Amino acid sequence: MSKIESILTESRVFTPSEQLKRSVALTEADIAQMYAKAESDHVGFWSDLAREKLDWFKPFTVGLDDSNAPHFKWFSDGELNVSYNCIDRHLETKSDKLAIIFEADDGTVERYTYKELHDQVCRFANTLVAQGVQKGDRVVIYMPMIPQAVIAMQACARIGAIHSVVFGGFSAESLRDRIDDAGARLVITANAGCRGGKTIPLKKAVDEALEKGGDHVRKVIVFRRTKDDVAMKAGRDIDWYEAEAGMSNYHDPVMVDSEHPLFLLYTSGSTGRPKGVQHSTGGYLLNAHATCEWMFDLNEQDVFWCTADVGWITGHTYVAYGPLSVGATMLMFEGVPTYPDAGRFWQVCQDHGVTVFYTAPTAIRALMKFGSDLPSQYDLSKLRILGTVGEPINPEAWIWYYHEIGGGRCPIIDTWWQTETGAHMLAPFPITPLKPGSCTKALPGIDAAIVDEAGQALEDNEGGLLVIKKPWPSMIRTVWGDDDRYQKTYFPLMGSIKNGDSCYVVGDSAYQDEGGYFWILGRIDDVLNVSGHRLGTMEIESALVSHPQVAEAAVVGRPDDIKGEAVSAFVVLNREIPDEGAERDALIQVLRDWVAKEIGAIAKPDDIRFGTNLPKTRSGKIMRRLLKTLARGEEILQDTSTLEDPSVLEQFKKPKRL
Ligand code: PRX
């Protein structure tokens, strides 16, 4: 691998004010002590934290079991229950404290105290048991961003069932793949979801998914989010409230082993179909809990708002689990940032007194476009910490967020992590000096480094592979049903270098500056990051090729001001290429809709170009680097002499921007 070059040069440093330092729980000395302890006793550090932060039914005696690398077990002889840790243990002191404030798309507000959440989760846990769900069974949740999604997840955790939440924007086809791969026994859905004033049918997608698949699915529980009619299949489908009728408000949480799978979450990789990332119980919850305290400093007065949907890992760790584990009040929002206008996020922050706000750079960039007048109309003075996640934040957006939203007083917590890591890995504490665009340093107990392909450490400012050298509690345990893929994807250095057996290769390139700060450069594989969402180019290519008029397709990313990356598709038809004009435009639309149907609207190509062949070497390898240059609209300076048919480049030059 040639060394990866960085073109980003950002030298500003934002140091914390004395006032900020006084206002947060952890002092510089506390943080330094944590780093020192983690450095000197990695396993002891995590074990002590697990004892201090989580309630164990059966205490563990083994911290880390690494006898079967790269399969690591944390706290494996301990027993606990996640739902107990998120709810029950707070009841004595906080039963009337708000756990969830929910603002619906239409502005309706609902509030749930910890006691109310407890009762609802228990009732639903009893419902799941009554419907035949047992410990270890998989339950797919395909819900809008409403409290019932969290209730369903917590109820699964309570009975030891393994949930797999599928983002409501995924199509029936994607949903079916995930239901089948997980071997789900039950599906929880809503008749519809509400976003931006529109109603999005969800149950319909479940019906379609189960028409040709879902052989293991016995029951579908349907929450009626809207008054719209919903078709119910007799014997299989059951209304949420009807199913709950007569159920008790109490359910004794099922204690599970620390390593018991808490959930599967499907995410894209560079090859093959999305993989079911399997997370554990104790280790996962520990990092979710600790990072809510470390990065967000959550305390009794806070109102924490993470804007992520529960369909993504961020919505698991920082909506469904972390904030509840620390006993915080969190806000859930069903809508979109631009409805009824682009001031909605700021209105929600104002109306509910949000103190800690966590969102994605793509949302910041989109809202920045509307200028600073909108946020300035709202009282954002309660905000004290701002976070970002999902993709690198460009310094311009960072500075806007810092000044226009945070009033220059709130630290920007740029958190780098992944579905597989379970929780934040590289991120500042609120009082860490900040450099816009850098996610700063690895957390205590996270041993991150930059290495070359052979696993050798690189110098400062040299771009290379980001790796995590030691196991950490919330790491992925395996790929559901494909352990081989787990080992090959994440531990390619196994056996090749000293300690390579526990060297987790992230899939991102990055470098560390002289101050030890990490700067993420992007993915090293064919994974796209569109609006902070991971999409495999392969997935989109397979979707395109499954259309009857498409013979071949290649998909690459190109930089996009708002989305971070946009999807460019290069398509070879098995018919004549229609002339430019209405017919070609119509075909492009058909193919975009096809991808939306196969995967989901987020995967729709932003531009589609046609040619009579893809640019391939004589040995048949698609030259993706050329396609990337074309997608960017740049001149081709690379050597094209090895191409089988250089003339195709001309055909592909003309994009059809949509
Ligand atoms: O490339 C990195 C990027 O998002 C990838 C993980 O995507 P996903 O599993 O969907 O999880 C997203 C939410 C945790 C990473 O491999 N990424 C995530 N956070 C950042 C980031 N890139 C730069 N800076 C970040 N803060």
Side-chain angles (χ1 to χ4, degrees):
M1 181 185 63
S2 58
K3 293 206 185 87
I4 297 155
E5 259 180 60
S6 151
I7 43 159
L8 198 73
T9 46
E10 173 59 55
S11 53
R12 281 170 288 191
V13 180
F14 291 72
T15 48
S17 66
E18 287 307 314
Q19 199 189 353
L20 173 64
K21 284 190 194 169
R22 278 195 303 274
S23 67
V24 294
L26 290 172
T27 63
E28 278 163 356
D30 295 331
I31 296 168
Q33 214 180 357
M34 285 203 285
Y35 276 109
K37 165 107 202 262
E39 181 81 16
S40 67
D41 181 7
H42 183 75
V43 176
F45 169 75
W46 286 119
S47 303
D48 288 351
L49 207 63
R51 288 188 190 100
E52 185 194 330
K53 302 294 178 190
L54 304 183
D55 280 25
W56 296 85
F57 176 66
K58 180 176 163 232
F60 60 89
T61 60
V62 184
L64 169 68
D65 173 358
D66 58 0
S67 56
N68 187 26
H71 294 94
F72 303 101
K73 294 182 181 173
W74 284 90
F75 325 127
S76 54
D77 60 343
E79 285 180 21
L80 75 169
N81 180 280
V82 163
S83 176
Y84 177 88
N85 272 275
C86 290
I87 304 174
D88 304 44
R89 66 166 163 167
H90 306 310
L91 291 180
E92 209 170 297
T93 53
K94 307 186 179 181
S95 75
D96 295 331
K97 179 177 173 162
L98 287 181
I100 301 178
I101 303 170
F102 169 62
E103 180 162 322
D105 191 51
D106 68 1
T108 311
V109 175
E110 284 173 20
R111 294 184 171 83
Y112 298 74
T113 63
Y114 271 91
K115 172 76 173 85
E116 285 161 349
L117 183 63
H118 169 267
D119 292 357
Q120 299 239 9
V121 169
C122 284
R123 247 198 323 272
F124 199 65
N126 285 322
T127 305
L128 291 175
V129 173
Q131 296 301 324
V133 181
Q134 295 176 358
K135 180 177 163 187
D137 283 348
R138 273 80 61 209
V139 171
V140 163
I141 299 176
Y142 187 65
M143 295 278 271
M145 192 55 189
I146 56 176
Q148 284 71 24
V150 171
I151 291 168
M153 291 162 84
Q154 285 282 344
C156 287
R158 203 168 179 92
I159 65 172
I162 304 165
H163 64 66
S164 181
V165 183
V166 179
F167 172 55
F170 279 124
S171 67
E173 315 284 329
S174 295
L175 176 62
R176 177 188 306 132
D177 282 350
R178 287 155 173 78
I179 290 173
D180 284 342
D181 191 84
R185 181 184 176 94
L186 185 134
V187 177
I188 305 167
T189 189
N191 64 334
C194 304
R195 277 170 70 79
K198 295 192 195 106
T199 305
I200 296 125
L202 289 171
K203 169 64 166 45
K204 203 166 143 259
V206 173
D207 289 341
E208 271 174 53
L210 296 183
E211 242 165 55
K212 286 188 248 153
D215 294 348
H216 299 88
V217 174
R218 299 279 165 271
K219 296 279 175 191
V220 177
I221 299 183
V222 185
F223 182 79
R224 288 179 204 252
R225 168 71 191 90
T226 65
K227 295 203 167 71
D228 300 304
D229 274 349
V230 58
M232 300 287 273
K233 187 170 169 186
R236 185 194 72 185
D237 301 349
I238 176 158
D239 176 272
W240 176 294
Y241 288 117
E242 277 171 30
E244 269 194 351
M247 293 294 156
S248 157
N249 282 353
Y250 184 76
H251 173 272
D252 210 8
V254 173
M255 295 299 152
V256 299
D257 292 346
S258 182
E259 281 297 316
H260 181 71
L262 177 64
F263 64 86
L264 312 178
L265 185 58
Y266 285 82
T267 191
S268 300
S270 48
T271 53
R273 293 183 322 169
K275 43 190 182 231
V277 171
Q278 179 181 320
H279 276 290
S280 71
T281 293
Y284 170 79
L285 190 65
L286 176 62
N287 287 62
H289 182 111
T291 50
C292 278
E293 292 185 342
W294 295 351
M295 277 60 254
F296 299 135
D297 186 45
L298 292 185
N299 66 38
E300 273 318 297
Q301 281 73 46
D302 278 315
V303 177
F304 174 63
W305 180 17
C306 165
T307 66
D309 191 280
V310 286
W312 309 109
I313 189 68
T314 312
H316 283 57
T317 308
Y318 300 104
V319 179
Y321 293 116
L324 296 174
S325 181
V326 299
T329 296
M330 64 138 164
L331 189 128
M332 278 185 84
F333 173 59
E334 185 184 32
V336 298
T338 47
Y339 176 83
D341 62 42
R344 185 70 185 269
F345 267 11
W346 320 129
Q347 169 252 309
V348 172
C349 284
Q350 168 190 275
D351 291 357
H352 301 288
V354 172
T355 56
V356 181
F357 177 66
Y358 188 35
T359 195
T362 185
I364 299 165
R365 287 194 298 266
L367 295 175
M368 195 171 126
K369 239 185 26 189
F370 293 91
S372 303
D373 283 354
L374 266 173
S376 70
Q377 290 167 24
Y378 297 92
D379 176 6
L380 301 177
S381 61
K382 290 242 171 75
L383 287 173
R384 63 182 194 96
I385 290 174
L386 300 173
T388 76
V389 58
E391 54 182 311
I393 179 164
N394 47 314
E396 195 197 354
W398 195 104
I399 295 288
W400 185 82
Y401 196 32
Y402 183 75
H403 286 297
E404 307 305 329
I405 306 306
R409 47 169 213 284
C410 310
I412 306 288
I413 310 296
D414 177 351
T415 60
W416 179 91
W417 58 297
Q418 308 177 294
T419 305
E420 294 88 340
T421 69
H424 302 157
M425 302 292 279
L426 312 179
F429 286 82
I431 58 170
T432 304
L434 304 170
K435 300 182 188 179
S438 165
C439 52
T440 75
K441 298 197 175 182
L443 305 188
I446 302 299
D447 191 2
I450 309 291
V451 301
D452 66 15
E453 266 185 342
Q456 297 303 314
L458 292 177
E459 302 283 317
D460 288 348
N461 295 314
E462 277 185 348
L465 306 178
L466 174 61
V467 296
I468 314 292
K469 295 196 300 191
K470 290 187 192 134
W472 66 101
S474 64
M475 68 193 295
I476 173 176
R477 292 308 196 258
T478 187
V479 172
W480 181 258
D482 196 350
D483 191 58
D484 196 40
R485 196 166 167 199
Y486 165 75
Q487 303 202 27
K488 287 201 176 111
T489 310
Y490 303 110
F491 297 92
L493 300 175
M494 262 186 88
S496 63
I497 55 162
K498 188 166 166 268
N499 297 331
D501 294 3
S502 50
C503 195
Y504 170 88
V505 178
V506 156
D508 283 7
S509 60
Y511 71 97
Q512 256 184 304
D513 67 18
E514 308 77 27
Y517 277 46
F518 285 90
W519 299 77
I520 304 294
L521 298 169
R523 299 287 307 187
I524 48 162
D525 50 17
D526 293 326
V527 172
L528 304 183
N529 190 330
V530 179
S531 301
H533 301 315
R534 264 164 79 167
L535 294 168
T537 50
M538 260 276 299
E539 278 170 78
I540 310 177
E541 286 163 7
S542 321
L544 282 166
V545 173
S546 70
H547 187 276
Q549 295 191 28
V550 175
E552 255 189 307
V555 165
V556 298
R558 65 172 163 80
D560 181 90
D561 283 350
I562 305 286
K563 303 206 282 186
E565 232 174 343
V567 179
S568 283
F570 295 80
V571 170
V572 179
L573 297 172
N574 50 26
R575 50 165 275 194
E576 292 229 321
I577 301 173
D579 289 337
E580 258 188 82
E583 200 193 338
R584 190 184 290 193
D585 291 353
L587 179 61
I588 288 173
Q589 205 44 53
V590 165
L591 294 179
R592 293 182 79 227
D593 291 345
W594 178 265
V595 173
K597 182 182 141 304
E598 291 288 307
I599 303 174
I602 49 167
K604 271 188 184 181
D606 294 271
D607 55 65
I608 296 184
R609 308 165 193 215
F610 299 108
T612 48
N613 201 347
L614 292 172
K616 289 181 192 154
T617 59
R618 289 194 188 99
S619 60
K621 194 168 166 326
I622 297 170
M623 292 187 71
R624 283 175 186 276
R625 259 194 301 159
L626 280 180
L627 292 178
K628 282 188 187 161
T629 309
L630 286 169
R632 288 195 171 104
E634 290 166 0
E635 260 327 291
I636 292 181
L637 303 171
Q638 293 109 307
D639 178 14
T640 55
S641 58
T642 53
L643 276 186
E644 193 189 2
D645 175 9
S647 71
V648 296
L649 295 179
E650 274 312 306
Q651 300 171 1
F652 278 129
K653 257 188 193 158
K654 269 215 173 142
K656 175 78 196 169
R657 289 272 141 88
L658 295 155

